[in-house]
């Protein structure tokens, strides 16, 4: 669990890129919850990216975007790779992933190491994730990139939910 006022920055080097936070082994689950009136939690300037979630692991982010597109209570910014990367499921070897819920995340100005650049949020289409009320702007590639998966298991389903006109409220 990660609460208010956490700052993770400058992990890795250009020769050995690292994410600031990685939840990729054994079905772990990370919860980040910061209210609007609390000190922001910021994950920035990491060479590999902000947060990586993989395998059967999951994440819950509950934040509140700020008045400016690079401000909020949970901010991933100026990372070399994607602000948030979720790569769950898709192969026979990986069990059913935990459901991830992203609400109120700000992912701004990521993809600072070029090439290849990066997205604010990169998620494989076999991941189980719901994204709402989030801001993904000024990233070098995409705001949100729903990426294909090679060697997809038979019966794998699309689990990416960006909402509809009435309930998504994402700014991309």
């Amino acid at each position: 669990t990660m609460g208010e006022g956490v700052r993770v920055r400058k992990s890795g080097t250009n020769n050995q890129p690292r994410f600031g936070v990685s939840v990729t082994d054994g079905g772990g689950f990370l919860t980040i919850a910061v209210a609007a009136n609390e000190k922001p939690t910021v994950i920035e300037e990491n060479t590999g990216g902000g947060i990586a979630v993989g395998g059967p692991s999951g994440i819950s982010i509950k934040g509140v975007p700020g008045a400016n597109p690079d401000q909020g209570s949970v901010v991933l910014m100026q990372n070399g790779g994607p602000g948030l990367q979720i790569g769950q499921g898709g192969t026979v070897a990986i069990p059913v992933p935990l459901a991830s819920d992203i609400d109120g995340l700000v992912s701004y100005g990521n993809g600072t190491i070029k090439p290849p650049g990066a997205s604010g949020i990169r998620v494989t289409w076999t991941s189980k994730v719901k994204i709402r009320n989030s801001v993904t702007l000024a990233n070098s590639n995409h705001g949100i990139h729903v990426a294909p998966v090679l060697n997809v298991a038979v019966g794998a389903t699309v689990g990416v939910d960006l909402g509809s006109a009435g309930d998504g409220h994402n700014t991309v």
Side-chain angles (χ1 to χ4, degrees):
T1 300
M2 194 180 292
E4 71 169 308
V6 176
R7 179 171 235 148
V8 179
R9 62 190 306 248
K10 298 195 182 245
S11 294
T13 65
N14 287 340
N15 292 331
Q16 289 189 314
R18 299 283 186 258
F19 277 83
V21 177
S22 182
V23 185
T24 58
D25 294 326
F29 197 88
L30 174 63
T31 299
I32 302 173
V34 183
N37 62 341
E38 296 179 316
K39 293 179 183 175
T41 286
V42 180
I43 299 173
E44 63 183 337
E45 299 175 8
N46 299 288
T47 57
I51 300 173
V53 178
S57 299
I59 188 168
S60 172
I61 297 176
K62 300 289 185 208
V64 181
N68 295 320
D70 62 344
Q71 296 175 342
S73 62
V74 180
V75 179
L76 313 178
M77 63 186 279
Q78 302 299 320
N79 292 291
L84 173 62
Q85 177 172 291
I86 301 176
Q88 301 172 306
T91 66
V92 175
I94 298 175
V96 176
L98 296 171
S100 293
D101 185 19
I102 311 303
D103 190 340
L105 172 68
V106 173
S107 188
Y108 185 87
N110 294 290
T112 58
I113 296 177
K114 298 176 185 172
S119 304
I121 298 173
R122 182 185 186 280
V123 58
T124 56
W125 66 267
T126 53
S127 297
K128 289 176 66 176
V129 61
K130 179 171 91 172
I131 302 172
R132 298 288 189 274
N133 305 306
S134 295
V135 176
T136 60
L137 295 173
N139 299 289
S140 66
N141 281 349
H142 318 91
I144 299 174
H145 179 203
V146 180
V149 177
L150 300 176
N151 302 319
V152 175
V154 175
T157 58
V158 176
V160 180
D161 178 359
L162 302 176
S164 63
D167 75 344
H169 306 289
N170 296 304
T171 301
V172 181

